[in-house]
Amino acid sequence: MVTKQLSGVRDEADLRRADSLGREIFSGVANKWALLIIEALGDDTLRFSELRGEVEGISHKMLTQNLRMLERYGLLERTVYPTVPPRVEYTLTEPGRALRTTIEGLCDWTHRYVGEIEASCRRFDAGA
């Protein structure tokens, strides 16, 4: 992955620009696994295996990739304890907790409209 360099903060935050850092960040965190990981962490500190148990269906590889990406963007903190075997814990940072607030809104929207969306899908699929 090529990281964009900050030239002008406002330009780099413009999600409409394909070459902006904002678009890179948005593309990274706006995937189902990243959103579910952030939601699962909440206010807790969890180990890798605990996170994997909280995010049903995620593979070891996808969890690892997303945790690295979220750490790179400063949305979570990874703490390694010098034990045998090593103990690694993850917790959200302040920007990660702020993003979680937005994700909670998306979760609320999903709960509120899932019935209507399901009905729409049935109508659409019946007519296809």
Side-chain angles (χ1 to χ4, degrees), residues 23 27-29 49 54 57-58 61 65 67 115 117 119 123 125:
R23 171 90 58 101
S27 295
V29 299
S49 58
E54 289 290 320
I58 194 167
K61 179 181 177 181
Q65 287 176 348
L67 287 170
I117 293 168
R123 287 190 304 274
D125 293 344

Side-chain angles (χ1 to χ4, degrees), residues 31-121:
N31 77 69
K32 70 177 177 182
W33 297 124
L35 297 175
L36 292 171
I37 290 166
I38 291 168
E39 181 62 21
L41 273 170
D43 294 324
D44 298 325
T45 297
L46 299 175
R47 295 178 70 176
F48 186 93
S49 58
E50 293 171 320
L51 267 171
R52 190 156 180 214
E54 289 290 320
V55 182
E56 189 175 314
I58 194 167
S59 68
H60 186 280
K61 179 181 177 181
M62 287 308 298
L63 181 55
T64 299
Q65 287 176 348
N66 278 274
L67 287 170
R68 286 180 181 163
M69 179 265 303
L70 292 169
E71 181 182 12
R72 180 174 182 265
Y73 291 147
L75 301 176
L76 64 78
E77 186 175 272
R78 178 178 179 260
T79 305
V80 180
Y81 296 93
T83 60
V84 177
R87 189 175 97 222
V88 181
E89 294 180 338
Y90 299 90
T91 190
L92 292 177
T93 61
E94 192 278 323
R97 289 189 301 274
L99 179 56
R100 182 171 172 254
T101 301
T102 300
I103 293 168
E104 286 174 344
L106 184 59
C107 292
D108 291 345
W109 174 87
T110 303
H111 288 119
R112 181 174 179 180
Y113 292 106
V114 69
E116 291 178 45
I117 293 168
E118 182 181 36
S120 179
C121 288

